[in-house]
Amino acid sequence: MIEVRGAEPSPHLPPADSGWAAASPNTINLHPSSEWTITAAVRLEAWPAEPARGGPPDSDTSTIDASFEHPEIGARGFSAPGSETDFLHLGNPGHYQVRVHRWGGDQVDTIFNANPHDTIHRTENFLLQFWPSPADHQEVGSTVETATIPRDDVHAAIRNWAREL
């Protein structure tokens, strides 16, 4: 889930049939392609204008409209208490176009089929590229800003969780 800093998530979740990437006010909901995915590696990018098309090889791609009441957004797992990425500064509150890339579900399925108990390596990847909606005519920075979940943090979180057991 991608959500704004400090705002309550929208009570209006997108319909179940709205696809694997769907927006509601202040929130974007993402669904992995594999039912065996354990973690998601997420990268958020803010662009001053629409970025060049393309994406990681073999990625699913979707472009959606999103709106945010606050210009800082972060990613968190559905059951996590707070953001699991740094917050990305979009520029201004308002409407944005978002190109979402998702890949790695096939590898997750392969890993699961080889060893259902291997949970550490069952990671799917998401790249979200935000740029201002033409309808808003808003200004954002002239450079690309990013926020990611560092790979080492995923393993540290797993180790900390195991120690608490």
Side-chain angles (χ1 to χ4, degrees):
M1 176 183 321
I2 309 302
E3 62 185 6
V4 300
R5 181 193 294 247
E8 292 296 319
S10 172
H12 309 290
L13 293 176
D17 62 350
S18 60
W20 61 269
S24 56
N26 293 323
T27 307
I28 296 174
N29 293 301
L30 303 170
H31 300 279
S33 62
S34 172
E35 65 183 286
W36 308 113
T37 296
I38 299 292
T39 59
V42 179
R43 179 179 171 97
L44 308 174
E45 298 179 348
W47 290 75
E50 182 177 0
R53 295 207 180 265
D58 300 322
S59 66
D60 297 324
T61 302
S62 181
T63 301
I64 59 175
D65 297 314
S67 62
F68 303 104
E69 295 173 4
H70 192 279
E72 291 185 325
I73 59 170
R76 83 173 168 92
F78 186 72
S79 61
S83 180
E84 297 178 285
T85 62
D86 292 333
F87 283 94
L88 175 67
H89 188 75
L90 292 174
N92 296 307
H95 297 277
Y96 287 84
Q97 296 290 299
V98 187
R99 186 172 303 128
V100 185
H101 300 280
R102 171 184 74 174
W103 70 99
D106 293 343
Q107 290 87 354
V108 168
D109 290 340
T110 299
I111 291 167
F112 177 81
N113 290 332
N115 180 3
H117 302 290
D118 181 357
T119 59
I120 293 175
H121 300 102
R122 290 179 7 210
T123 301
E124 228 170 297
N125 300 284
F126 292 86
L127 167 62
L128 289 86
Q129 299 171 312
F130 296 81
W131 69 94
S133 175
D136 271 2
H137 302 291
Q138 38 182 337
E139 293 291 325
V140 296
S142 60
T143 61
V144 176
E145 295 188 32
T146 64
T148 61
I149 298 175
R151 190 79 186 136
D152 292 341
D153 287 354
V154 171
H155 297 295
I158 293 168
R159 284 191 300 278
N160 290 337
W161 171 80
R163 286 185 192 117
E164 291 175 6
L165 291 179

